[in-house]
Amino acid sequence: MYRIKVNDQYNFETDKKGDDLFIGGEKVTADLKQISASALHIINKLKSYNAEVVSFSSSEKTAVIKVNNNLYTVKAKDQFDLLLDQLGLSALNGTKVSEMKAPMPGMVLKVFVNEGTEVKKGDNLFVLEAMKMENIIKAPADVVIKSVKIKPGDKVEKNQILMLF
């Protein structure tokens, strides 16, 4: 069971029983034809739709889908997400990140950001060489860099603060 929110406005509940898909309790009988890896042609209730997945994040359970040249932002919550919401624990996922610490001792090879840089979750921050391996350290969340305390060539210790957000 999934609770789907479209464009932060419309809510749908979906369920799958065997090969059958139900939306809002109603069985959907659509004809699907895959056009490419991210595109489908759908015929449902005598209407034709061209659907394409523009972007998808499995970790955040979100997608942007283009249907007949209209963009839709889709967010999904499964039964575990809904349970966390009920228990008031869903806010724990949005903890505030204020610093980046060295995950291991090593040497900084390259720094990709400067003070004031806005970065998105997953963007590259710097390269840390440890045990003859280069590790690209990525942003843990969408943040603005307040302070960069490292430069290429610096040796760092585990848990040393490298950046402030």
Side-chain angles (χ1 to χ4, degrees):
M1 192 273 293
Y2 283 94
R3 187 165 292 152
I4 309 292
K5 189 164 204 147
V6 180
N7 290 345
D8 286 324
Q9 190 173 4
Y10 303 103
N11 293 303
F12 301 94
E13 283 201 14
T14 66
D15 205 1
K16 189 164 170 107
K17 295 176 185 166
D19 289 336
D20 296 331
L21 173 66
F22 293 84
I23 299 177
E26 183 181 326
K27 183 178 175 182
V28 176
T29 54
D31 183 26
L32 305 171
K33 173 75 173 159
Q34 188 154 2
I35 298 170
S36 70
S38 63
L40 291 170
H41 182 260
I42 304 165
I43 298 176
N44 186 38
K45 296 182 181 178
L46 302 175
K47 293 183 181 177
S48 176
Y49 305 93
N50 290 313
E52 178 184 359
V53 177
V54 177
S55 67
F56 176 74
S57 171
S58 60
S59 63
E60 295 177 9
K61 297 178 186 158
T62 61
V64 175
I65 301 172
K66 185 191 290 187
V67 179
N68 293 345
N69 291 321
N70 295 312
L71 287 177
Y72 299 95
T73 302
V74 179
K75 297 176 186 173
K77 289 188 177 190
D78 61 16
Q79 66 267 26
F80 303 111
D81 297 321
L82 295 171
L83 180 61
L84 287 174
D85 287 348
Q86 281 181 336
L87 297 173
L89 300 174
S90 60
L92 296 178
N93 292 339
T95 56
K96 184 91 167 134
V97 179
S98 62
E99 61 190 16
M100 169 62 70
K101 293 182 179 179
M104 64 195 87
M107 184 171 74
V108 177
L109 296 181
K110 189 170 190 174
V111 179
F112 298 110
V113 296
N114 298 310
E115 291 179 15
T117 304
E118 290 185 30
V119 294
K120 299 283 184 200
K121 181 178 182 176
D123 286 354
N124 297 339
L125 296 176
F126 59 94
V127 177
L128 183 65
E129 182 184 51
M131 297 183 294
K132 299 188 183 198
M133 290 184 61
E134 293 184 9
N135 303 286
I136 299 174
I137 308 301
K138 300 182 177 287
D142 294 354
V143 294
V144 176
I145 308 296
K146 288 184 183 171
S147 175
V148 178
K149 300 190 174 289
I150 53 172
K151 61 184 182 309
D154 286 353
K155 292 187 190 290
V156 298
E157 295 298 321
K158 183 176 177 158
N159 290 326
Q160 178 180 335
I161 295 175
L162 308 178
M163 294 182 183
L164 297 175
F165 309 125

